Amino acid sequence: MGRWAIAVHGGAGIDPNLPAERQEQAKQLLTRCLNLGIAALSSNVSAIDVVELVVRELETDPLFNSGRGSALTEKGTVEMEASIMDGTKRRCGAVSGITTVKNPISLARLVMDKSPHSYLAFSGAEDFARKQGVDIVDNEYFVTDDNVGMLKLAKEANSILFDYRIPPMGCAGAAATDSPIVMNGLPISIYAPETVGCVVVDKEGRCAAGTSTGGLMNKMMGRIGDSPLIGAGTYASELCGVSCTGEGEAIIRSTLARDVSAVMEYKGLGLQEAVDYVIKHRLDEGFAGLIAVSNKGEVVCGFNSNGMFRGCATEDGYMEVAMWE
């Protein structure tokens, strides 16, 4: 029997001036989700079940950018995406373009367990959801007043998010000139609310990972980011489980989540070394973060952005919830 470990994230890139009240709300939500996962793992629930359970909780709370509280498209609607992966046999499921499914992570799980495919999107995914009997709600359920206000600011700044770049510190260059309005430390023209994710290794050494998001604020209809892409935003193998967050296009180009597992397998690196390596060498000029667990019960968080909402816990009693370095 091994040792279990769990990590959760609520997105990379945090405004240093984020109000204390929101910081506290984020910490409370991450703590609640960790405790939910800890209780399940202590009762010998499998890694893949714990990942789904925790991400569902994150999707249900409107604080972060997934499920209710998702970022809005250019038309003011919500298009969500999610993926989940079981490292034992590298089974996976993913969905995109979800508009009425209350918990996209559970639909991704059903794609993995109940379909012959690994990825379903838009109307096909919605049709599958109805056949599976999942909870369906109106699109308005996912829309919050906060995000309506953010979208209004984005449109006033005439930002369409064709090119998504997160500056290392504050607002700089043309982006700041074109869009002086700042949201969460980023020019509104490139604002992306926080994605969520969870990684787990259970007592049997089985690793799993899941990621869920609403994507970019004011994104083009049909835009797909890294979160539903296996190997980019989410990956799990016999060695580790990884969930990423941050600049989606950079994560896609670097196949960031898969690369953690790859350098462990091919270079013989440990989990901490692998995470440090990919964050340093694979993101080029992009900014992102990730959480990871190994089959040995290790847990690591890494990022090159200005902070990352995160929490982790291990069977030996270690628990941490943090935002900054």
Side-chain angles (χ1 to χ4, degrees):
M1 298 287 286
R3 298 180 303 161
W4 58 255
I6 181 174
V8 296
H9 74 72
I14 305 173
D15 184 354
N17 298 313
L18 191 67
E21 181 182 3
R22 183 175 170 86
Q23 294 187 39
E24 184 59 30
Q25 289 173 341
K27 290 178 180 178
Q28 289 178 0
L29 175 55
L30 292 170
T31 300
R32 187 173 83 232
C33 289
L34 275 180
N35 285 331
L36 184 67
I38 289 169
L41 285 164
S42 298
S43 299
N44 296 319
V45 176
S46 69
I48 192 70
D49 287 340
V50 176
V51 165
E52 182 184 3
L53 176 71
V54 170
V55 176
R56 281 178 61 96
E57 184 73 11
L58 288 163
E59 289 175 337
T60 302
D61 193 293
L63 186 66
F64 292 136
N65 175 21
S66 67
R68 186 163 183 265
S70 285
L72 304 181
T73 69
E74 59 190 349
K75 294 187 177 181
T77 59
V78 166
E79 288 184 350
M80 300 168 291
E81 47 197 26
S83 62
I84 193 168
M85 189 163 185
D86 186 348
T88 305
K89 294 184 178 179
R90 284 180 288 189
R91 299 168 59 246
C92 60
V95 291
S96 288
I98 301 304
T99 60
T100 65
V101 176
K102 190 173 183 180
N103 291 107
I105 193 68
S106 291
L107 184 58
R109 175 75 184 272
L110 287 168
V111 171
M112 180 178 76
D113 289 342
K114 302 295 184 180
S115 87
H117 307 301
S118 296
Y119 197 161
L120 294 175
F122 297 94
S123 61
E126 295 278 345
D127 289 345
F128 176 72
R130 284 166 173 77
K131 291 176 182 176
Q132 294 298 317
V134 303
D135 289 339
I136 299 296
V137 294
D138 292 336
N139 196 253
E140 289 76 14
Y141 163 84
F142 305 104
V143 179
T144 64
D145 291 341
D146 284 347
N147 283 343
V148 170
M150 292 178 194
L151 180 63
K152 183 174 183 291
L153 289 176
K155 288 188 175 298
E156 288 174 351
N158 195 30
S159 59
I160 308 177
L161 300 180
F162 286 116
D163 194 16
Y164 174 47
R165 295 288 181 271
I166 301 181
M169 293 184 297
C171 308
T177 301
D178 296 340
S179 178
I181 304 172
V182 174
M183 183 66 67
N184 201 13
L186 305 176
I188 195 66
S189 62
I190 58 170
Y191 179 66
E194 306 88 353
T195 293
V196 306
C198 178
V199 293
V200 173
V201 58
D202 59 27
K203 291 182 178 180
E204 302 297 326
R206 298 172 296 198
C207 299
T211 312
S212 181
T213 189
L216 303 181
M217 184 64 67
N218 201 23
K219 66 183 179 181
M220 296 174 65
M221 299 292 290
R223 184 263 184 181
I224 294 173
D226 67 285
S227 296
L229 301 184
I230 299 300
T234 303
Y235 192 76
S237 65
E238 292 182 351
L239 292 174
C240 63
V242 184
S243 174
C244 301
T245 174
E247 183 182 339
E249 280 65 25
I251 294 170
I252 292 169
R253 292 193 303 270
S254 63
T255 58
L256 195 65
R258 161 61 180 158
D259 222 40
V260 174
S261 182
V263 295
M264 291 180 71
E265 182 176 355
Y266 301 135
K267 293 175 70 71
L269 300 185
L271 185 66
Q272 182 71 64
E273 294 175 300
V275 170
D276 291 345
Y277 181 87
V278 301
I279 292 292
K280 182 177 181 180
H281 297 289
R282 290 293 182 262
L283 283 169
D284 301 321
E285 296 180 357
F287 289 85
L290 63 83
I291 53 174
V293 292
S294 77
N295 60 6
K296 298 178 181 179
E298 303 163 305
V299 60
V300 174
C301 304
F303 54 95
N304 66 352
S305 55
N306 187 34
M308 180 172 75
F309 294 104
R310 64 198 187 275
C312 57
T314 60
E315 189 171 6
D316 60 12
Y318 170 76
M319 181 174 176
E320 179 185 38
V321 174
M323 295 170 52
W324 312 109
E325 292 285 355

